[in-house]
């Protein structure tokens, strides 16, 4: 009888663990980051990216700014390039990164067990004149097809910065004000 009680208790504990654990896991997010050069479609390894937590979700489901961003007056709902640049400058001067990650040889890294909120991804190193556009990602992402999505793919816009080629000064040519090549023979014949 004692073995049955222990067996039933263990089965009940395992059942509760299996039911509750996926519910808790669904409240954590994953960001799979991939860096690919838009110019030549090659993976970018050794790209250093800082990850800042900009906001978090409170118990009522509202997003509130994290420490370092509490005085931020930038509209993070407007993801224009200008606002992202302002948010990047604000983060650099007012907050500490949550993570600093470096891409592997295939240009990838993964951020796991992320709390619900918004995350700012900023390129840190100047790698082979590569320029990654700053990204703001919200976990979870709401999609029309799948509803809330907790595992996200981040593929930032990345371009090569071409070195500036100094313009060579144009050789100034004297303006042609008249020519004597055809005039001399004509005048010679007439004369």
């Amino acid at each position: 009888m004692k073995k049955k009680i222990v067996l039933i208790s263990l089965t009940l504990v395992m059942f509760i663990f299996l039911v509750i654990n996926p519910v808790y896991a669904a409240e954590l997010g994953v960001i799979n980051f991939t860096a690919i050069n838009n110019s030549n479609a090659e993976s970018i390894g050794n790209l250093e990216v800082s990850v800042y937590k900009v906001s978090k979700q409170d118990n009522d489901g509202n997003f509130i700014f994290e420490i370092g961003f509490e005085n931020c007056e930038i509209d993070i709902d407007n993801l224009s390039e200008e606002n992202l640049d302002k948010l990047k400058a604000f983060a650099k001067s007012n907050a500490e990164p949550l993570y600093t990650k470096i891409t592997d040889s295939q240009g990838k890294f993964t951020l796991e067990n992320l709390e619900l909120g918004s995350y700012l991804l900023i390129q840190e190193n100047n790698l082979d004149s590569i320029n990654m556009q700053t990204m703001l990602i919200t976990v979870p992402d709401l999609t029309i097809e799948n509803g809330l999505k907790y595992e996200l793919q981040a593929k930032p816009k990345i371009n090569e910065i071409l070195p500036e080629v100094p313009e060579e000064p144009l050789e100034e040519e004297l303006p042609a004000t008249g020519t004597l090549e055809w005039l001399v023979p004509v005048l010679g014949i007439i004369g």
Side-chain angles (χ1 to χ4, degrees):
M1 180 73 167
K2 194 173 187 180
K3 284 185 179 183
K4 283 186 179 181
I5 293 174
V6 170
L7 185 60
I8 291 172
S9 298
L10 285 174
T11 306
L12 184 61
V13 168
M14 287 176 49
F15 176 76
I16 290 172
F17 179 75
L18 291 174
V19 170
I20 292 175
N21 196 28
V23 171
Y24 178 72
E27 293 185 6
L28 295 177
V30 174
I31 296 175
N32 295 310
F33 182 89
T34 305
I36 297 176
N37 187 333
N38 292 353
S39 303
N40 57 18
E42 290 183 7
S43 299
I44 302 170
N46 296 322
L47 180 68
E48 185 178 353
V49 178
S50 288
V51 180
Y52 293 83
K53 188 170 183 188
V54 177
S55 66
K56 64 182 175 183
Q57 191 173 26
D58 65 10
N59 294 335
D60 297 328
N62 301 318
F63 284 91
I64 56 173
F65 282 118
E66 276 285 336
I67 296 172
F69 291 93
E70 61 268 359
N71 296 323
C72 180
E73 296 179 6
I74 300 166
D75 182 11
I76 64 171
D77 293 327
N78 175 4
L79 294 180
S80 68
E81 195 166 331
E82 180 183 348
N83 273 359
L84 285 173
D85 287 341
K86 287 179 185 176
L87 191 58
K88 175 183 176 180
F90 188 89
K92 292 274 196 180
S93 61
N94 295 296
E96 291 294 320
L98 184 62
Y99 302 107
T100 299
K101 294 284 193 170
I102 298 175
T103 58
D104 62 13
S105 61
Q106 283 137 14
K108 298 182 179 190
F109 65 76
T110 300
L111 301 168
E112 297 178 315
N113 299 322
L114 298 174
E115 295 177 352
L116 304 184
S118 298
Y119 295 87
L120 184 69
L121 283 71
I122 300 173
Q123 176 183 353
E124 288 299 326
N125 59 346
N126 187 6
L127 184 64
D128 296 330
S129 302
I130 296 295
N131 183 29
M132 179 189 103
Q133 184 177 17
T134 302
M135 300 181 73
L136 184 67
I137 300 175
T138 301
V139 176
D141 185 28
L142 179 61
T143 62
I144 295 173
E145 312 85 43
N146 302 325
L148 292 176
K149 192 173 177 183
Y150 291 87
E151 185 168 350
L152 308 174
Q153 305 300 320
K155 295 179 182 176
K157 181 179 176 183
I158 299 176
N159 292 314
E160 285 185 71
I161 301 172
L162 299 175
E164 289 187 30
V165 178
E167 291 185 29
E168 294 179 20
L170 298 175
E171 292 181 22
E172 289 189 36
E173 295 181 19
L174 295 175
T177 57
T179 179
L180 296 177
E181 292 177 15
W182 63 272
L183 187 58
V184 171
V186 170
L187 290 175
I189 293 174
I190 294 176

